[in-house]
Amino acid sequence: MALYILYEHAAGYAVFSVKEFEEISMLLPQVEQSVTDLSRFNSIVKLLGFSPFKTAVAALENVNAISEGIVPDDLSVFLDSVLPKASKSNKFTLGVADPKLGAALSEALKIQCSHIGAVPEILRGVRHHFPKLVKGFSDKSAGVAQLGLGHSYSRCKVKFNVHRSDNMIIQSIALLDQLDKDINTFSMRIREWYSYHFPELVKIVPDNYLFAKLAHFVKDRKSLSQDSLEGLEEIVMDSEKAQAIIDASKMSMGMDISVIDLLNIEMFAKRVVNLSEYRHQLSEYLHSKMTNVAPNLQSLIGDQVGARLISKAGSLTNLAKYPASTVQILGAEKALFRALKTKSNTPKYGLLFNSSFIGRANAKNKGRISRFLANKCSIASRIDCFTENPNSVFGEALKQQVEDRLKFYESGEAPRKNAEVMKEAIEAAAQVSVTQQSAKKKKKKKDKKRKREDDDDANGDETLNETDNANGTLVEAEPEVEAEPKKKKKKKNKNKPTEE
């Protein structure tokens, strides 16, 4: 049986014939040694045909198709012209590097493909000596082709990534978690630092954000008076607490502090307040992103838990591909492997533990509701990933199902069937999509009408504000004079006598 090798390069496709394939497969160690020696490798491999790409665009289209496991038209035409016709007496095997491409070629062109045995070693040698095996090709031209195709392929993947908004969610939730840690650390530092001067304030205002704002507002406790009551009420939103702060400042046990120390405390407190406000803005940004990218997952388990699931999976597409059992323990991988190693009980939940449904369930029902919730999360992520017009209809229906299941565990009230709930959700989603499309059409019409009016106004301004190029004076546009209708010529009456 003959062996041919398909090699995909950035410059084009090449097919090599391998001599004495039966013996080579038996002497695989000798083949591995001959890969680095060109003279010995030439005795094994012979170039059968080379088809260069005509343009860089064609090269990019071919590499995109191959990466998705699709046989490009250029490759199929090239293989038909180079490879012999397969028959009972003339059987051959085509060696490929990618098993997905081999399966696609076997299905499309009915060619027997292989990617094991001596094929990887021969491909390694072809890759090493390729510029010398093709006439008119050099190492420099091969490097230029590979660099250009690599840049364009990477740029295409980044630009045309359908789910690129997932990256914004992943970065936002990572920054949000980091901000939570930093704000907690800084808040503890400002509490300890300012408590040297005003220790009673911690008991009156335990909230970190309000404490930082009060430290920035109060500064020196001796400066507090009844005139400061209104400002304190605006911060704590409680008149009794504001009065308690003023009373405590008069009999405080804290030490006196210098001006330079107060200045540093004030600056640090301002930084903590700004970080807390930015954290609030970031949470709103994450909410808007989740509404656009994964509205059903957001409606089911909230912004932060849904974003953490997407971040842990790597993307919404990866999360949609996970089974419900994987979603259930996502985030508890260490506990899972430790349980498998020690043959103890496996974890019941991972990131889903932060959901309010798990906290509301009884201890004996936590595992059951976690499994049910993971099932619904898997459904919601798949709907968000593959739907064309995303909306939160299915997420609200799935959330109601989880609520009904919680009631069933507590009171025994039987929940509605899943088929019935999904049927109603599909009908509601269809109505929502119709209203969205009609709203988009109305918006387009309004935009076109507004644009037309703006163009008319601009044209009217141009006619009214014409300037005389010679004198630079403003010249009013002359009013258009309607053309007088042409008078019809009277037909001469043949019967009327002519004047002499």
Side-chain angles (χ1 to χ4, degrees), residues 60-79:
L60 181 61
E61 291 176 355
N62 279 266
V63 75
N64 280 329
I66 289 174
S67 66
E68 295 173 4
I70 302 171
V71 181
D73 295 336
D74 296 344
L75 179 58
S76 60
V77 171
F78 173 62
L79 291 178

Side-chain angles (χ1 to χ4, degrees), residues 96-114:
V96 294
D98 188 6
K100 291 182 180 179
L101 180 62
L105 285 171
S106 300
E107 185 178 353
L109 304 179
K110 308 300 181 185
I111 299 174
Q112 183 180 354
C113 298
S114 175

Side-chain angles (χ1 to χ4, degrees), residues 194-337:
Y194 194 66
S195 292
Y196 288 123
H197 177 61
F198 195 178
E200 292 81 9
L201 187 61
V202 177
K203 295 181 180 179
I204 300 172
V205 184
D207 185 73
N208 291 332
Y209 175 66
L210 291 180
F211 186 89
K213 288 190 76 173
L214 285 171
H216 181 261
F217 175 78
V218 174
K219 297 167 187 150
D220 190 356
R221 70 170 193 274
K222 294 180 180 179
S223 62
L224 282 179
S225 61
Q226 290 298 327
D227 298 337
S228 308
L229 184 63
E230 185 177 353
L232 291 173
E233 287 181 1
E234 290 180 2
I235 296 174
V236 297
M237 303 299 291
D238 189 351
S239 58
E240 293 182 359
K241 279 188 177 181
Q243 187 62 44
I245 291 169
I246 294 175
D247 296 339
S249 65
K250 294 177 181 179
M251 57 185 72
S252 176
M253 299 292 293
M255 59 178 282
D256 293 336
I257 197 165
S258 63
V259 177
I260 188 68
D261 295 335
L262 277 175
L263 185 62
N264 282 280
I265 292 173
E266 180 187 356
M267 291 172 62
F268 185 51
K270 188 176 181 181
R271 292 290 177 90
V272 175
V273 171
N274 291 337
L275 273 179
S276 301
E277 292 174 353
Y278 174 65
R279 194 257 180 214
H280 181 68
Q281 294 175 5
L282 189 65
S283 63
E284 292 180 352
Y285 167 75
L286 179 64
H287 176 76
S288 64
K289 277 294 176 185
M290 286 292 292
T291 304
N292 295 330
V293 177
N296 293 297
L297 192 63
Q298 178 200 30
S299 300
L300 180 60
I301 54 173
D303 298 326
Q304 295 192 17
V305 181
R308 287 192 179 95
L309 286 175
I310 294 172
S311 177
K312 191 67 179 177
S315 68
L316 182 61
T317 307
N318 292 345
L319 182 64
K321 291 177 182 177
Y322 284 165
S325 57
T326 305
V327 175
Q328 181 180 353
I329 59 170
L330 205 62
E333 289 82 6
K334 288 184 179 179
L336 174 66
F337 292 127

Side-chain angles (χ1 to χ4, degrees), residues 17-56:
S17 62
V18 182
K19 302 174 185 177
E20 301 175 355
F21 171 54
E22 302 278 339
E23 299 177 5
I24 287 174
S25 60
M26 295 173 61
L27 302 174
L28 190 58
Q30 287 81 346
V31 175
E32 294 176 359
Q33 294 175 3
S34 66
V35 162
T36 56
D37 189 0
L38 180 60
S39 59
R40 293 173 65 183
F41 192 72
N42 269 330
S43 63
I44 300 173
V45 174
K46 180 183 177 182
L47 179 65
L48 199 64
F50 178 65
S51 174
F53 295 125
K54 296 180 180 178
T55 60

Side-chain angles (χ1 to χ4, degrees), residues 142-196:
V144 170
Q146 288 175 343
L147 185 64
L149 183 59
H151 284 177
S152 57
Y153 179 72
S154 301
R155 193 181 303 115
C156 179
K157 282 296 181 184
V158 172
K159 184 177 180 182
F160 295 106
N161 183 10
V162 180
H163 307 288
R164 57 183 178 272
S165 295
D166 298 353
N167 303 327
M168 305 300 127
I169 291 175
I170 293 169
Q171 297 298 327
S172 299
I173 192 63
L175 180 57
L176 199 65
D177 292 339
Q178 187 65 42
L179 278 176
D180 286 337
K181 293 179 182 178
D182 293 343
I183 290 171
N184 285 334
T185 305
F186 294 158
S187 299
M188 291 301 297
R189 180 64 51 219
I190 193 67
R191 286 159 73 99
E192 290 182 12
W193 199 356
Y194 194 66
S195 292
Y196 288 123

